[in-house]
Amino acid sequence: MENSTQKSLGVLIGGVHTYFPKELIRGISKEAEKESVNIFYFLGMQTKVFLKQALGEESNAFYDYQFNTIYDYCRIAGVKGVIINYGTIGTYFKDGNSTAFARRYNNLPVVFLTDRVDLPNCYSIISDNYQGLHTAVEHLIEEHRCRKILFVKGPEGNTDAHERFQGYLDAMSAHGLRVEPKMIAPGDYSEFIDANVERLLDENPDADAIAFANDEMAFSGCRVCKRRGLRVGKDIFITGYDNSELSLRTDPPLTTVLQDGRSMGKLAVQNMLRILDGEEVPFCRYPTRLVVRESCGCKGKKPKEEEKNYFNEEGAAEEIQRLRHEIAEKQQEFIDFQRNSWLIPLMVRELNETVDDERGFCLRIMDAMKTLGVPNSYLFLLDLPINYNGEDEWVCPDNLRLAAYCRKEQTYAYSLLERPLVTEENGIAHMTDDGEIHQFMVYLLFSGERQYGLLVCDVPVKDLSFYYVVSLQIGFALHNYELNKIEALHRQQMFQDMERIREKNRELDMKSAYDQLTGLLNLRGFMDRANKLCEEGESRKAHLLYGDLDHLKEINDTWGHAEGNFAIRSCADILKSCIRGSDMIARIGGDEFSCLVFSEKEGFENILKNRIVEACKQFNETSGKPYYVEISVGIKTFQMECYEDLHLATISADQDLYEAKKTRKKSIKKKNNEL
């Protein structure tokens, strides 16, 4: 990949399912394209508000906390500066502290939208939320004589929401109107707050109006009022905030407050470029304007002077043109989404087919993106997927690598050992640089608690929701591929284990009865055969010998283990020469031997000991070794009828051997003239 010589900016933004963040994105994108700046949008695509409506409050099927991690990947993106729309991010953190969040990126210039942070290198643009809501409530009081105005707040910890709430409280207070706790309802800026509005109306049946902290919640309020038989704009008045594209299409059209998200996004890029050029940029409180429509009861009423200024001929034409453009864009977005939705099942089937190697699987993902019409996309994967449960402390992984890309519809995937590592010096912006200007959407790839990496793709703003669905499908496919790979490894491991077990059994069959070094029976073979003799039930006079090669350690330490093995084999040969072939002899330990000899001869134990002493003497005279091979011996004579007899004899023979070892030589080294 080429080294980036162009300016690249990161944008951290959440709640992109709602109107205002999309407007910010449109403004940022348009200005960035004009100024030839690359943009990387790190998207928080929280869906709990939608799933809550379908699955209920208690559903656990949410993994939105994963999106709280995507913002940290911006720190290794290699961008020159960061634009942060904290108002749509902080509400999803357990501890929504904008200053602490800003410190994460304090090594770069930061422009904060919808929140104010007093830190070096941080610059803020925030809507005049207070004045906007204050004006809306004042309009209801002064123009429509409303006395009991209810309020639906935005998320806790959100600066915009706090300022709008304060604007409501102060407007009510300025007119001497009392606000009781039951007149306030919580909200989350989503359209799915019907239950909250129902409770608010149940507790305040005499309400004149409801002011909502944004338009999407106001849509919910209109829906609830319609179900209850309340005529909006007549029986009850409703105001919103944002002037979203649907506010003019509600029935009746929604009175709302215009905060120009596109212009704020445009200003954020302009300010960032000024900062990068070394200029000073002041804090900006962006102005808002009340847009009066029929939901507040203004049908047929003449607008106030300031509203006339906004709704002059030129302003009205501009507003109509903007709304027409937004409606056409929405219609095209729906058509494109419907068309692309047919491709998703095909893509899922293709991705979930078995692929033998990971490189081939990554190529399939890139081919799928190309099929969807994405000319440039990049797949970044972690060396190993990580588990994150949302409770433990999050640590951004340092092993993210570029796995594959589709550039100008040409696909390529790296082998596992070739994948470039993403670092602060060689970041995502460097690896995606092709000399052209792009607006990249960055999606987190995860499945449940399992996190795999990032999908970076150059797609239009209108399609970001669709590619969120695509990114989820890719996350599922990565999870299935991982499971298939684990299953294949388990099968291979199981096959290897079974083969090892079979080989081990073959070895055990060979080793179960005989000692490999001496060719004698081993302990197991000796005991099995002795037990069989006992099972025959015949009483016989037996002599159990325990023998121990003297000073094996000295031989090993002085002349090496090869000589030690020679001495063990020699000891075995000596003992075999002293008994009959029908008798039993075994090596039962490293230097320990056992013989079971049957003889009715009186004093046989002494005869056997003398044979062994003589055999050792003859061996040492002719061995040519610098050491003696000598054997300490303990023998127990007993009447063998059952296994218990053998066991007791074993104890006695072992004790006899212990006594015999006390009289062995202190060293088995031969003198020079004895060789």
Side-chain angles (χ1 to χ4, degrees):
M1 302 295 171
E2 300 88 345
N3 288 325
S4 177
T5 57
Q6 299 170 319
K7 288 180 180 176
S8 297
L9 303 179
V11 177
L12 312 187
I13 189 166
V16 293
H17 54 279
T18 57
Y19 171 75
F20 184 68
K22 286 182 179 178
E23 285 292 278
L24 288 174
I25 290 174
R26 290 185 178 101
I28 291 169
S29 293
K30 187 173 181 179
E31 187 65 17
E33 184 178 2
K34 175 185 171 185
E35 297 293 337
S36 297
V37 174
N38 283 313
I39 298 290
F40 293 83
Y41 292 99
F42 290 81
L43 301 172
M45 298 287 293
Q46 287 80 7
T47 58
K48 185 172 182 177
V49 290
F50 303 106
L51 296 176
K52 181 176 67 175
Q53 186 78 358
L55 303 178
E57 290 281 352
E58 303 304 318
S59 173
N60 291 321
F62 308 130
Y63 292 95
D64 283 354
Y65 65 80
Q66 291 281 18
F67 292 108
N68 294 343
T69 70
I70 194 173
Y71 308 118
D72 273 356
Y73 285 100
C74 182
R75 296 159 69 184
I76 54 173
V79 295
K80 303 295 184 184
V82 184
I83 297 172
I84 301 176
N85 184 34
Y86 190 75
T88 57
I89 293 175
T91 55
Y92 299 102
F93 285 102
K94 293 177 182 176
D95 181 18
N97 186 317
S98 57
T99 302
F101 188 83
R103 287 198 180 99
R104 299 186 193 180
Y105 310 93
N106 211 222
N107 60 322
L108 294 170
V110 174
V111 172
F112 255 72
L113 291 167
T114 66
D115 211 314
R116 183 167 186 171
V117 175
D118 294 319
L119 282 177
N121 225 21
C122 288
Y123 308 86
S124 297
I125 302 173
I126 189 167
S127 170
D128 195 351
N129 298 286
Y130 175 88
Q131 190 58 46
L133 214 297
H134 192 284
T135 300
V137 174
E138 198 168 56
H139 175 79
L140 291 170
I141 296 170
E142 293 181 352
E143 293 294 322
H144 301 289
R145 301 291 183 255
C146 293
R147 291 296 174 264
K148 189 167 187 178
I149 303 172
L150 313 180
F151 187 73
V152 180
K153 300 196 301 182
E156 291 296 330
N158 181 281
T159 298
D160 284 348
H162 173 74
E163 291 184 348
R164 292 172 196 178
F165 182 46
Q166 194 61 49
Y168 159 78
L169 292 176
D170 288 355
M172 295 288 281
S173 175
H175 290 81
L177 299 177
R178 184 179 176 184
V179 175
E180 299 176 1
K182 68 176 184 178
M183 296 168 60
I184 312 299
D188 55 14
Y189 277 170
S190 82
E191 191 180 336
F192 307 105
I193 60 159
D194 293 28
N196 299 16
V197 179
E198 293 278 10
R199 284 193 295 270
L200 193 63
L201 290 172
D202 286 343
E203 294 177 2
N204 301 275
D206 55 341
D208 300 318
I210 312 175
F212 289 85
N214 80 338
D215 285 351
E216 298 208 15
M217 294 192 298
F219 300 152
S220 174
C222 292
R223 186 167 58 239
V224 170
C225 288
K226 185 176 181 181
R227 284 203 302 264
R228 297 170 74 105
L230 293 173
R231 296 171 299 171
V232 175
K234 294 182 178 179
D235 300 326
I236 192 166
F237 302 147
I238 286 180
T239 64
Y241 197 109
D242 279 339
N243 195 35
S244 66
E245 73 268 29
L246 295 179
S247 60
L248 191 60
R249 298 173 62 189
T250 59
D251 183 22
L254 181 68
T255 295
T256 183
V257 176
L258 169 67
Q259 60 166 351
D260 193 342
R262 294 196 189 193
S263 296
M264 290 176 69
K266 176 181 176 181
L267 180 61
V269 175
Q270 292 173 345
N271 281 2
M272 178 60 75
L273 295 180
R274 289 170 60 193
I275 293 163
L276 292 174
D277 288 338
E279 296 183 35
E280 286 293 324
V281 174
F283 166 74
C284 176
R285 176 75 71 176
Y286 211 85
T288 59
R289 286 181 283 190
L290 181 65
V291 179
V292 177
R293 299 192 182 106
E294 295 175 25
S295 70
C296 70
C298 272
K299 185 176 181 179
K301 289 183 178 288
K302 293 182 179 181
K304 293 169 61 176
E305 191 62 36
E306 60 267 24
E307 293 163 358
K308 287 181 183 179
N309 293 336
Y310 177 69
F311 283 104
N312 57 28
E313 186 174 341
E314 182 180 346
E318 181 182 337
E319 175 73 0
I320 291 169
Q321 181 63 28
R322 182 182 75 85
L323 290 170
R324 282 177 177 170
H325 176 75
E326 287 175 353
I327 292 168
E329 199 173 66
K330 273 288 183 192
Q331 290 172 336
Q332 186 61 45
E333 184 178 338
F334 175 75
I335 293 169
D336 291 344
F337 192 95
Q338 192 175 42
R339 176 181 58 82
N340 288 334
S341 295
W342 288 99
L343 295 174
I344 288 181
L346 298 177
M347 183 192 77
V348 171
R349 185 179 66 185
E350 179 75 12
L351 291 180
N352 286 299
E353 287 183 1
T354 303
V355 179
D356 292 335
D357 66 293
E358 191 165 325
R359 184 173 182 272
F361 181 71
C362 293
L363 277 174
R364 279 196 175 179
I365 294 175
M366 294 296 95
D367 287 336
M369 295 299 292
K370 185 169 68 172
T371 301
L372 291 171
V374 182
N376 300 284
S377 54
Y378 298 81
L379 179 66
F380 292 87
L381 295 179
L382 300 168
D383 285 344
L384 291 173
I386 59 174
N387 269 16
Y388 180 55
N389 59 16
E391 298 296 331
D392 299 333
E393 182 181 357
W394 164 254
V395 177
C396 189
D398 57 2
N399 60 350
L400 184 70
R401 298 178 187 271
L402 177 60
Y405 61 84
C406 175
R407 175 179 284 181
K408 298 176 183 176
E409 300 189 357
Q410 298 297 313
T411 59
Y412 180 80
Y414 293 93
S415 67
L416 286 173
L417 297 178
E418 293 176 333
R419 292 177 178 177
L421 178 67
V422 178
T423 63
E424 291 185 20
E425 296 75 22
N426 188 34
I428 294 170
H430 302 89
M431 293 185 181
T432 56
D433 181 28
D434 59 2
E436 298 184 2
I437 300 303
H438 297 282
Q439 309 284 312
F440 285 114
M441 303 295 170
V442 184
Y443 296 94
L444 187 71
L445 298 177
F446 70 97
S447 180
E449 294 186 358
R450 204 81 169 137
Q451 196 172 122
Y452 296 93
L454 302 176
L455 176 67
V456 179
C457 50
D458 188 358
V459 296
V461 176
K462 66 183 180 63
D463 291 335
L464 63 84
S465 295
F466 173 76
Y467 285 98
Y468 161 68
V469 177
V470 171
S471 71
L472 287 181
Q473 294 299 333
I474 293 175
F476 296 152
L478 286 164
H479 185 61
N480 287 336
Y481 179 80
E482 182 188 17
L483 293 179
N484 290 336
K485 187 166 64 173
I486 292 171
E487 183 181 355
L489 288 173
H490 284 172
R491 283 198 303 268
Q492 182 182 8
Q493 185 67 47
M494 185 165 48
F495 175 79
Q496 292 173 348
D497 289 345
M498 290 176 65
E499 191 58 36
R500 278 195 292 268
I501 289 170
R502 283 193 289 266
E503 182 61 30
K504 199 72 175 175
N505 286 337
R506 287 192 289 268
E507 291 178 7
L508 288 174
D509 288 341
M510 294 294 295
K511 296 176 180 179
S512 61
Y514 288 93
D515 171 56
Q516 289 183 326
L517 180 60
T518 63
L520 302 178
L521 290 170
N522 58 23
L523 177 60
R524 177 181 174 182
F526 181 82
M527 299 307 294
D528 284 348
R529 291 199 177 187
N531 195 39
K532 287 179 181 179
L533 289 173
C534 294
E535 289 174 355
E536 293 175 1
E538 183 181 349
S539 178
R540 304 170 67 181
K541 188 176 182 181
H543 309 273
L544 180 65
L545 177 147
Y546 262 29
D548 191 305
L549 173 62
D550 290 342
H551 298 295
L552 175 60
K553 184 176 185 307
E554 184 180 0
I555 296 173
N556 285 332
D557 292 346
T558 306
W559 294 282
H561 286 276
E563 290 297 325
N565 288 340
F566 173 80
I568 290 171
R569 286 194 296 269
S570 299
C571 182
D573 292 339
I574 290 170
L575 290 173
K576 282 194 292 185
S577 70
C578 296
I579 62 175
R580 296 167 300 184
S582 59
D583 295 324
M584 291 166 51
I585 179 171
R587 180 188 176 202
I588 61 174
D591 56 359
E592 297 174 345
F593 297 84
S594 182
C595 299
L596 185 61
V597 182
F598 298 97
S599 175
E600 298 291 336
K601 189 180 292 187
E602 289 295 329
F604 178 76
E605 63 269 24
N606 291 324
I607 296 171
L608 184 56
K609 285 181 180 180
N610 290 334
R611 283 181 192 172
I612 294 170
V613 170
E614 185 60 29
C616 288
K617 180 179 178 182
Q618 291 178 10
F619 172 83
N620 290 319
E621 287 176 352
T622 58
S623 70
K625 296 294 182 180
Y627 53 82
Y628 296 107
V629 173
E630 293 186 344
I631 307 169
S632 297
V633 172
I635 299 178
K636 172 63 177 176
T637 300
F638 66 105
Q639 199 68 26
M640 183 172 163
E641 291 183 6
C642 61
Y643 186 76
E644 285 74 12
D645 296 329
L646 179 63
H647 178 67
L648 293 172
T650 297
I651 297 172
S652 297
D654 189 47
Q655 291 174 344
D656 194 25
L657 171 62
Y658 179 74
E659 293 299 325
K661 288 174 72 171
K662 293 179 179 179
T663 61
R664 65 181 179 174
K665 288 185 175 71
K666 291 184 178 180
S667 174
I668 42 76
K669 291 181 181 179
K670 291 181 180 179
K671 298 179 181 178
N672 290 335
N673 60 3
E674 292 181 291
L675 294 176

